[in-house]
Amino acid sequence: DSGVTQTPKHLITATGQRVTLRCSPRSGDLSVYWYQQSLDQGLQFLIQYYNGEERAKGNILERFSAQQFPDLHSELNLSSLELGDSALYFCASSVSLNTGELFFGEGSRLTVL
Amino acid sequence: SQQGEEDPQALSIQEGENATMNCSYKTSINNLQWYRQNSGRGLVHLILIRSNEREKHSGRLRVTLDTSKKSSSLLITASRAADTASYFCATDARGFSGGSNYKLTFGKGTLLTVNP
């Protein structure tokens, strides 16, 4: 158990809909990372937050947004969903701003029909 | 785009044999990490090697780093069926000022199958 909690574990929705994925980092970790994993694209870095502030952005679509709240949990919002958004979405956390060891949650599997 | 590329994409060996996976990357790095992922599960950190280190050991794992060739290798000795998983290298690219750019970029992984 990494100590990182992601909900929901599975989500099935339709094209055009909006979903919110939630992540609680390990106790004491200030950095939260979001990754998308699909068969064709592999593990893609989406965005990183540190202590509530956005610190790095990767291949995150404009239809996607994220935030980190004062209690350090984070949410990833996916809107106007398309079939191609079906993937495993991982949250990871680390103690510091610099990228040392990341602790991954078990992921949220999103299926868009 | 992928920073690291693992090779081979898939590797099948017998229990007790050694497994070697390679990773190549494109830009200067602060550190390189290896992670393991069991099918459909979260990634688990295995080992981190900094850019000024050449070799590191952890249990049955040995990692080497050659910054001149921009490559790393992960050796798993005396493999077990339980080592069956995907293995990913991840790089922390050096930012403009020399520090981290805060993005840990993963390759597409090597699928290791260890047959009993």
Side-chain angles (χ1 to χ4, degrees), chain A residues 73-110:
Chain A
H73 91 271
S74 178
E75 292 181 357
L76 179 66
N77 300 296
L78 315 175
S79 61
S80 303
L81 286 168
E82 302 175 359
L83 296 178
D85 297 327
S86 296
L88 254 179
Y89 291 84
F90 286 107
C91 167
S93 72
S94 67
V95 171
S96 67
L97 177 59
N98 292 319
T99 47
E101 177 180 354
L102 297 192
F103 294 86
F104 279 79
E106 289 296 311
S108 292
R109 182 173 292 280
L110 173 67

Side-chain angles (χ1 to χ4, degrees), chain B residues 3-47:
Chain B
Q3 157 76 317
E5 293 288 339
E6 291 89 346
D7 170 63
Q9 290 187 352
L11 180 61
S12 181
I13 60 174
Q14 296 299 122
E15 232 175 1
E17 294 180 340
N18 295 341
T20 300
M21 288 158 270
N22 302 298
C23 169
S24 59
Y25 57 91
K26 298 172 185 171
T27 63
S28 296
I29 59 171
N30 289 305
N31 68 64
L32 184 144
Q33 303 178 41
W34 285 90
Y35 285 80
R36 165 198 167 119
Q37 182 183 32
N38 287 71
S39 181
R41 305 291 303 275
L43 281 77
V44 176
H45 180 265
L46 295 176
I47 198 165

Side-chain angles (χ1 to χ4, degrees), chain B residues 42-105:
Chain B
L43 281 77
V44 176
H45 180 265
L46 295 176
I47 198 165
L48 180 153
I49 187 166
R50 301 198 185 282
S51 60
N52 61 354
E53 298 175 309
R54 292 297 167 257
E55 188 170 312
K56 207 161 182 180
H57 296 254
S58 177
R60 292 184 296 114
L61 306 180
R62 172 178 169 254
V63 169
T64 62
L65 179 64
D66 187 336
T67 53
S68 66
K69 295 181 179 177
K70 292 187 170 57
S71 67
S72 172
S73 68
L74 170 67
L75 169 67
I76 304 174
T77 60
S79 63
R80 307 164 181 167
D83 294 328
T84 295
S86 291
Y87 292 82
F88 295 86
C89 69
T91 51
D92 170 12
R94 194 160 291 170
F96 180 74
S97 60
S100 171
N101 70 356
Y102 309 134
K103 299 180 187 180
L104 194 63
T105 307

